Amino acid sequence: GTLDVAETTSLAATGLATNVRGTLNVAEQATFTENIDANNGVDVTSGNLNVTQNTNLTGNLDVDGATTLDQTAILTDGGTFDVTGTGTANIGATDNDVSITTASSGDINITAADNLNLSGTTVTVSGTFSPDNLDVDGATTLDGTEINTTDNNFNVMGTHQVTLNNEIRLQVAN
């Protein structure tokens, strides 16, 4: 039969379970004051899923479509943070710096199958730097630089003039 109630109705006393067999259709807003346990998934087929407090996901999160995360910290205490796929991965900021940092130890490894391109008004590299091949186009200033030729020659070549300029003196030693 049909239950048609025009006023507020309690289906069970506090602490007692109410079982619904079949489909429960709710035509207006429903408010739940306790946890909702969905043992076979939750489908939101139209509209948004709005969460105003913390959300804990213990399984995989599969998101199709554009995703906006605001003020997001990704903690990798329990595993690795991987960004993989066949599309482009962009990290950018409109008016702020983008920092990639190791907190106490560990390297930041950047590996490219082709070229590694750095561009900016100024590119600063500090610390020990030892690539197998460094090809720099444009004006380059090297401060406090030692060129060690123990394992190979130091060659200066090209079709233009080479200028060595020093205000104190130029020393060539054997």
Side-chain angles (χ1 to χ4, degrees):
T2 300
L3 174 63
D4 188 0
V5 180
E7 298 291 327
T8 301
T9 302
S10 296
L11 297 178
T14 301
L16 295 178
T18 301
N19 294 317
V20 176
R21 292 177 291 176
T23 301
L24 173 65
N25 292 316
V26 179
E28 294 184 27
Q29 180 173 331
T31 301
F32 297 91
T33 58
E34 295 294 328
N35 287 341
I36 299 173
D37 295 325
N39 295 320
N40 197 23
V42 175
D43 295 327
V44 179
T45 57
S46 64
N48 296 326
L49 174 63
N50 297 313
V51 179
T52 58
Q53 295 293 320
N54 295 335
T55 302
N56 297 314
L57 301 172
T58 57
N60 295 329
L61 175 63
D62 185 2
V63 178
D64 292 330
T67 303
T68 301
L69 303 174
D70 186 30
Q71 298 180 5
T72 302
I74 299 172
L75 303 176
T76 59
D77 293 338
T80 303
F81 174 61
D82 287 322
V83 177
T84 59
T86 58
T88 303
N90 294 315
I91 300 173
T94 304
D95 295 323
N96 299 306
D97 294 339
V98 174
S99 298
I100 300 173
T101 307
T102 55
S104 59
S105 66
D107 296 333
I108 296 175
N109 300 311
I110 301 173
T111 304
D114 197 2
N115 295 322
L116 175 62
N117 302 308
L118 301 174
S119 63
T121 305
T122 303
V123 176
T124 303
V125 177
S126 60
T128 303
F129 184 66
S130 58
D132 292 335
N133 185 0
L134 178 62
D135 184 1
V136 179
D137 291 330
T140 304
T141 302
L142 303 174
D143 293 329
T145 302
E146 177 182 317
I147 299 172
N148 186 332
T149 60
T150 302
D151 60 346
N152 213 334
N153 294 331
F154 172 65
N155 299 315
V156 178
M157 43 188 160
T159 57
H160 293 288
Q161 174 180 319
V162 175
T163 302
L164 301 175
N165 188 357
N166 188 304
E167 293 180 9
I168 299 176
R169 69 177 179 260
L170 180 62
Q171 179 178 350
V172 178
N174 289 338

